[in-house]
Amino acid sequence: MRLFLDTANIDEIRDVARMGVLAGVTTNPTLMAKESGISYRDRVIEICEAVNGPVSAECTSREVEGLLEEGRGIATWHPNVIVKIPMDANGLEATSILAGEGIKINMTLIFSANQALLAALAGATYVSPFVGRLDDAGHDGMEVVRQSVAIFDRYNLPAQVLAASIRSSTHVIAAALAGSHIATLPYAVLQAMIKHPLTDTGIERFLADARKYASV
Ligand code: E4P
């Protein structure tokens, strides 16, 4: 399973890119609104230059014509940019047209396997079930990931499942075991994946022992 970062913060992205584990980035208007002093377009280009992989930038238009114009514009920003479109009837229509033009789409705000199937059939390259938000609403968010993976496999649909709204390192393991192609993580979750208390105490003990022979 590939890992993306779910952030628009360039320092977080550069930090994780240096570790060699970063395959892409997803952004959304909420994440962009946390950044200041830089335009949306410039930040997306900056991210594209910091990571060698797909970078999703979200459309905010609600009508088909607006989505087409916005999506075509975003697609010119950088070769790695992926146009992110929210799930609804207009989003499906725009996805089908843009995908037909060779533009890669990440269909977002997926909360059911039915929506995932529709997104894949419309031609989305990435389909993003929101695990954490489903869990918050009392559902099993990971079940939508499992079902989407099974359906895409069963019918040889080329769309990739991108597990989104990931809230914990255990979500990451569950997404990997569910067969998700990608999980997009907040920076804090990536950091939590690195840490283990036994690793920390193990390093301390090795260093203490190394000091014993270093002083001989
Ligand atoms: C995915 O692409 C979204 O940006 C994201 O995962 C939303 O997650 P949230 O529920 O933490 O806002």
Side-chain angles (χ1 to χ4, degrees):
M1 184 176 73
R2 292 189 292 153
L3 297 181
F4 288 5
L5 264 194
D6 196 26
T7 183
N9 183 289
I10 194 68
D11 295 327
E12 293 179 352
I13 291 163
R14 289 190 177 130
D15 192 29
V16 178
R18 280 196 299 274
M19 297 177 204
V21 297
L22 188 59
V25 171
T26 50
T27 68
N28 64 40
T30 305
L31 295 169
M32 280 292 172
K34 292 182 186 163
E35 304 298 308
S36 56
I38 189 161
S39 73
Y40 176 33
R41 180 178 180 278
D42 286 353
R43 175 48 55 90
V44 169
I45 292 170
E46 198 175 27
I47 296 171
C48 288
E49 285 166 1
V51 57
N52 187 20
V55 174
S56 293
E58 188 157 341
C59 293
T60 52
S61 305
R62 301 300 305 124
E63 303 304 322
V64 176
E65 278 313 314
L67 284 167
L68 293 177
E69 190 184 340
E70 195 180 357
R72 287 177 185 131
I74 289 173
T76 65
W77 291 353
H78 192 280
N80 286 355
V81 96
I82 306 296
V83 175
K84 201 175 184 189
I85 296 184
M87 172 73 201
D88 68 1
N90 288 347
L92 286 168
E93 187 174 336
T95 294
S96 133
I97 294 167
L98 292 173
E101 295 172 7
I103 294 173
K104 289 187 177 166
I105 307 297
N106 173 2
M107 186 144 260
T108 189
L109 290 165
I110 298 290
F111 292 97
S112 73
N114 277 326
Q115 291 180 325
L117 174 60
L118 290 169
L121 293 175
T125 301
Y126 304 100
V127 175
S128 295
F130 274 38
V131 175
R133 292 194 199 183
L134 275 164
D135 287 359
D136 291 345
H139 300 278
D140 176 3
M142 207 53 74
E143 183 59 13
V144 177
V145 173
R146 278 189 287 273
Q147 291 174 340
S148 304
V149 168
I151 291 167
F152 293 3
D153 277 359
R154 170 87 185 261
Y155 294 102
N156 289 321
L157 296 171
Q160 297 185 42
V161 177
L162 198 173
S165 187
I166 294 287
R167 299 275 165 76
S168 67
S169 51
T170 51
H171 264 163
V172 181
I173 296 170
L177 290 173
S180 193
H181 303 88
I182 304 158
T184 187
L185 325 176
Y187 180 76
V189 173
L190 191 290
Q191 291 296 325
M193 288 172 71
I194 297 171
K195 298 296 279 182
H196 195 287
L198 289 175
T199 304
D200 296 340
T201 55
I203 288 172
E204 276 169 32
R205 197 178 306 163
F206 284 148
L207 289 179
D209 289 339
R211 277 192 291 276
K212 291 176 193 163
Y213 61 73
S215 59
V216 176

